[in-house]
Amino acid sequence: MRVYVPLTLPGLAALHRSGELGPAPLTAFAVTPALRDWYGEGADEEELEYGALGEAAAGALRLLAADPAAPRRRVVVVAEVADGAVGADPREPGAVTLTAPVPLARLASVHLDAADAEPAVAAAATAGDGDADPGHELLWYGVQEIPHLL
């Protein structure tokens, strides 16, 4: 199963140092039946995955609101995990719980705000609404680029 895990830059640095995303349990987002229902009929897989990424970006914004010392850039890591390592999370459509740490080798990509998005992300994080939209798209990076993102 493909999962989208919200992080901050300090969280990404910890992942890089330890070689795994954890400890479990971790909140993540995925294309779940609840997310499919929320989007309704006609949504294709790409649209659903973009929706799960958006939910994870909102989760990263909530993490930033809780950590005022973290740089004001949302981070989402995408990983492929076994279905058995994912539990249901009824709090919101697309939410899941990872029941085991995720090794760095299972990551598929990293999505991160550009540096010029920091003022808008800071304002959205300060607003206290985890669903606020800073108006910036996350950029895609390969996992091998993590050291250069820190």
Side-chain angles (χ1 to χ4, degrees):
M1 173 180 272
R2 176 164 283 195
V3 296
Y4 301 81
V5 185
L7 287 177
T8 60
L9 279 171
L12 185 63
L15 163 64
H16 179 64
R17 279 191 309 275
S18 70
E20 70 178 16
L21 186 58
L26 294 165
T27 298
F29 297 86
V31 176
T32 63
L35 187 70
R36 286 181 192 283
D37 289 345
W38 190 79
Y39 268 83
E41 289 185 36
D44 64 18
E45 199 65 24
E46 186 175 323
E47 183 178 1
L48 293 168
E49 288 180 1
Y50 185 75
L53 174 64
E55 292 296 319
L61 192 60
R62 290 188 290 273
L63 292 174
L64 289 172
D67 183 1
R72 307 285 89 180
R73 295 171 77 185
R74 299 168 297 165
V75 179
V76 175
V77 295
V78 181
E80 298 290 338
V81 300
D83 289 348
V86 179
D89 184 338
R91 291 180 289 170
E92 54 191 293
V96 296
T97 300
L98 298 178
T99 58
V102 179
L104 185 62
R106 302 294 302 187
L107 267 60
S109 61
V110 177
H111 299 262
L112 173 70
D113 278 309
D116 67 353
E118 285 189 33
V121 173
T126 302
D129 177 7
D131 294 325
D133 182 3
H136 290 266
E137 292 288 326
L138 297 175
L139 304 176
W140 181 95
Y141 295 93
V143 175
Q144 71 278 9
E145 296 178 89
I146 291 173
H148 305 291
L149 300 174
L150 302 174

